[in-house]
């Protein structure tokens, strides 16, 4: 369990009306049965995610990459949000100025009831035209769990469609990045369940600190960010967020 003085410090700030921003990574969905890339279960047919989630992998073998995404879509469709998603959804309704930036592509924050999620890496449920044909929107939603055809086609030009996610080596959408930058202007910034090595996780933490925010990290493993945050709360997202939520909602909890 995380140190009680860290829990108290965060509860005190949030209760005093702090603007809270949260950055989440794959660890938040681990308790829902969605494997993280680097943790147990992250491999698919002996491929590492880094070998599949790239434009080069898609150019080489679009069917293989699509089979991996089809598997992930099925896995996520069968999963449910966990306590971590639920606590953050409650905060989004309760605290003015709350912002949630996620690297996750699974949509579980939205399914838990968080509105306005800033998705820096796109969504498993979006598709895009590989050739960015003029007729197609930048992305479109396809929520049918089983796609009618693999690899799917762009309905506008008939060319290949690709997953509407950001792959390793690709640039982030500037508008989404601007929204994430704005979220870093806050009073309390929490990085939860991210290894903090994939851009922009580390950058957002540093920006939040530069804005004078109290920074904290929730992760059962130390990361490159752990030493520099104000509070490192060692533990699983679903347990530590439950502890914080009890502190925030229990009148008897002394801060
Ligand atoms: P990562 O796989 O690199 O790291 C996950 C982190 O979660 C690790 O630091 C691990 O210690 C921590 N963790 C594991 N279980 C946890 C728990 N119960 N509570 C809290 N933390 C826990 O993931 P990442 O840094 O998010 O990113 C890599 C990229 O992978 C991201 O861009 C993301 O798009 C993608 N990804 C997304 C999903 C998803 O949408 N669910 C799943 C896997 C990877």
């Amino acid at each position: 369990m995380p140190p009680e003085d860290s829990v108290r410090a965060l509860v005190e700030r949030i209760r005093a009306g702090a603007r809270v921003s949260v950055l989440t990574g794959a660890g938040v969905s681990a308790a829902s049965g969605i494997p993280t890339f680097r943790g147990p279960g992250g491999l698919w047919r002996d491929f590492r995610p880094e070998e599949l989630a790239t434009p080069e992998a898609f150019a080489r073998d679009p069917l293989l990459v699509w089979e991996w995404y089809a598997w992930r879509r099925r896995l996520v469709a069968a999963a449910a949000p966990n306590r971590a998603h639920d606590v953050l959804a409650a905060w989004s309704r309760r605290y003015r100025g709350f912002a949630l930036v996620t690297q996750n592509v699974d949509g579980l924050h939205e399914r838990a009831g968080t509105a306005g999620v800033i998705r820096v890496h796109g969504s498993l449920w979006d598709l895009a035209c590989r050739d960015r044909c003029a007729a197609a929107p930048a992305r479109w939603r396809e929520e049918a769990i089983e796609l009618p055809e693999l690899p799917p086609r762009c309905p506008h030009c008939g060319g290949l469609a690709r997953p509407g996610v950001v792959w390793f080596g690709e640039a982030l959408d500037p508008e989404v990045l601007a929204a994430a930058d704005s979220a870093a202007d806050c009073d309390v910034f929490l990085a939860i369940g991210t290894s903090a090595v994939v851009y922009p996780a580390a950058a957002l933490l540093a920006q939040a600190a530069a804005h004078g925010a109290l920074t904290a990290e929730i992760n059962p493993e130390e990361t490159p960010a752990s030493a520099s945050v104000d509070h490192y709360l060692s533990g699983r997202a679903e347990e530590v967020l439950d502890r914080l939520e009890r502190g925030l909602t229990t009148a008897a909890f002394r801060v």
Side-chain angles (χ1 to χ4, degrees), residues 6-7 9-11 13-14 19-25 28 84 87-88 91 95 98-102 109 183-184 186-194 196 201 204-205 208-209 213-219 225 229-233 237 240-241 244-245 248:
S6 292
V7 170
L10 286 165
V11 167
R13 281 283 184 105
I14 297 173
R19 290 167 306 146
V20 181
S21 289
V22 173
L23 168 72
T24 64
V28 163
V87 168
L88 296 173
W91 291 6
Y95 301 121
F98 176 87
L100 176 55
V101 182
T102 191
H109 285 301
C186 61
D187 304 315
V188 170
F189 190 92
L190 287 169
I192 310 176
T194 172
L204 287 176
L205 263 169
L214 185 75
T215 57
E217 180 185 46
I218 301 175
N219 198 311
V229 289
D230 295 313
H231 297 278
Y232 168 56
L233 293 94
V240 178
L241 283 171
L244 287 170
E245 179 65 348
L248 288 164

Side-chain angles (χ1 to χ4, degrees), residues 11 41 51 99 224 236:
V11 167
E51 296 174 74
R236 296 172 195 272

Side-chain angles (χ1 to χ4, degrees), residues 22-45:
V22 173
L23 168 72
T24 64
V28 163
S29 295
S32 296
I34 314 295
T36 65
F37 275 2
R38 296 169 182 84
L43 291 182
W44 172 79
R45 291 194 202 161

Side-chain angles (χ1 to χ4, degrees), residues 24-32 34-40 42 49-50 53 68 72 76 82 84-85 102-108 120-122 124 165-166 168 192-201 217-224 235-240:
T24 64
V28 163
S29 295
S32 296
I34 314 295
T36 65
F37 275 2
R38 296 169 182 84
E50 293 87 338
W68 180 52
R72 294 177 67 197
V76 168
N82 65 61
H85 300 106
T102 191
Q103 301 179 128
N104 294 346
V105 293
D106 56 31
L108 290 177
V120 290
H121 289 157
L124 277 183
V165 301
V166 179
F168 291 108
I192 310 176
T194 172
S195 50
V197 288
V198 177
Y199 181 80
E217 180 185 46
I218 301 175
N219 198 311
E221 311 284 339
E222 286 195 23
T223 76
R236 296 172 195 272
E238 61 279 14
E239 292 167 1
V240 178

